[in-house]
Amino acid sequence: MVELKTDTSIDAMYEAGQVVGRALTAAREAAAVGVSLLELDEVAHQVLRDAGASSPFLGYRPSFAPTPFPAVLCTSVNEAIVHGVPTGYRLRDGDLVSLDFGAELGGWVGDSAISFVVGKPRPADVLLVETAERALAAGIAAARVGNRIGDIAHAIGTVCRAAGYGIPDGFGGHGIGRHMHEDPGVPNEGRPGRGLPLRHGMVIAIEPMLIGGGTDGFHAAPDGWTLRTDDGSRAAHAEHTVAITDAGPRILTAR
């Protein structure tokens, strides 16, 4: 069931989204050669503490997970697509890093993700990250009253496929509000004009995930959380929480 948020609730979600934006900005600024993923998690955790917010990630355990998620920040490096668990791994020159973060403030949740390269980037990685951001922008542009979920999915998928990238099947965006994952699901590929009509007050997380090698295959790492590309190619992930309003899409996690 899709819950339509009031304008007041959307304003409250914006406040949660700003905590998310600050945490991702802080973690990205801290990411450098030699810095560990656990250190990045602590940077993000401190932003939560300072804001009086809590983490919807920490302790989260969906049906597929063997254990609760142990951190507040997902850290996916190189061939890891999403859900990477922070470890003592220290970043190396040229690593492609995706950070996914959520915050709960005043009973409302925000969720966002960024990808970037530490140190000297490879041109292929720069293009991959830029394409993920373009796919996100295309999805957001389609998130308008009168369109349908399929229009968002088609916009994202068109950008990804035209660039020759793969899309992990079964993973995409979602509704968000009082809980991190709500209805409706927001696929990263689909047919335009299909699916749920978009209405004022719907709030969704739009999150394209791209596989650099062009294939769609992926698998779970031994930790049961991290999803890795089957072909060993690098991946990128971009995400914003977006409110659908009569005035157009409103990005609640804008940085």
Side-chain angles (χ1 to χ4, degrees):
M1 179 177 177
V2 176
E3 176 194 1
L4 298 180
K5 279 70 175 180
T6 66
D7 292 346
T8 299
S9 297
I10 290 173
D11 287 342
M13 290 190 70
Y14 175 83
E15 296 303 320
Q18 294 311 289
V19 176
V20 175
R22 290 198 299 273
L24 286 174
T25 298
R28 178 172 184 169
E29 289 175 350
V33 174
V35 174
S36 77
L37 302 182
L38 284 172
E39 288 169 336
L40 296 184
D41 182 69
E42 176 54 30
V43 168
H45 206 158
Q46 188 59 52
V47 174
L48 283 180
R49 297 187 191 101
D50 292 344
S54 60
S55 171
F57 287 17
L58 183 62
Y60 180 60
R61 188 179 184 182
S63 59
F64 67 80
T67 58
F69 195 75
V72 302
L73 183 69
C74 290
T75 55
S76 305
V77 180
N78 295 333
E79 76 280 3
I81 307 168
V82 287
H83 304 163
V85 177
T87 65
Y89 174 84
R90 295 191 176 277
L91 294 171
R92 301 171 183 173
D93 187 48
D95 276 347
L96 197 167
V97 181
S98 296
L99 303 179
D100 190 354
F101 184 80
E104 181 176 349
L105 183 69
W108 295 102
V109 179
D111 186 11
S112 184
I114 56 174
S115 293
F116 56 92
V117 178
V118 173
K120 184 177 181 180
R122 303 189 303 186
D125 291 341
V126 172
L127 182 59
L128 181 61
V129 171
E130 289 178 345
T131 306
E133 293 172 349
R134 285 198 298 111
L136 175 59
I140 293 171
R144 296 185 175 275
V145 173
N147 279 356
R148 293 176 176 266
I149 289 291
D151 294 306
I152 298 174
H154 178 71
I156 294 170
T158 297
V159 172
C160 297
R161 295 301 189 188
Y165 297 128
I167 301 172
D169 184 47
F171 286 86
H174 50 87
I176 186 170
R178 293 286 185 183
H179 304 283
M180 182 166 57
H181 291 123
E182 298 181 353
D183 292 332
V186 186
N188 285 328
E189 192 168 31
R191 298 177 64 182
R194 299 294 182 91
L196 189 72
L198 304 180
R199 299 171 59 190
H200 178 90
M202 292 176 62
V203 182
I204 56 178
I206 301 174
E207 51 178 323
M209 307 165 193
L210 285 62
I211 297 176
T215 62
D216 297 350
F218 65 93
H219 61 277
D223 62 24
W225 275 100
T226 309
L227 300 183
R228 300 188 181 279
T229 61
D230 280 350
D231 62 7
S233 66
R234 294 188 169 194
H237 178 205
E239 178 184 16
H240 271 309
T241 296
V242 180
I244 296 166
T245 78
D246 290 330
R250 179 184 179 188
I251 301 173
L252 305 182
T253 47
R255 294 177 290 277

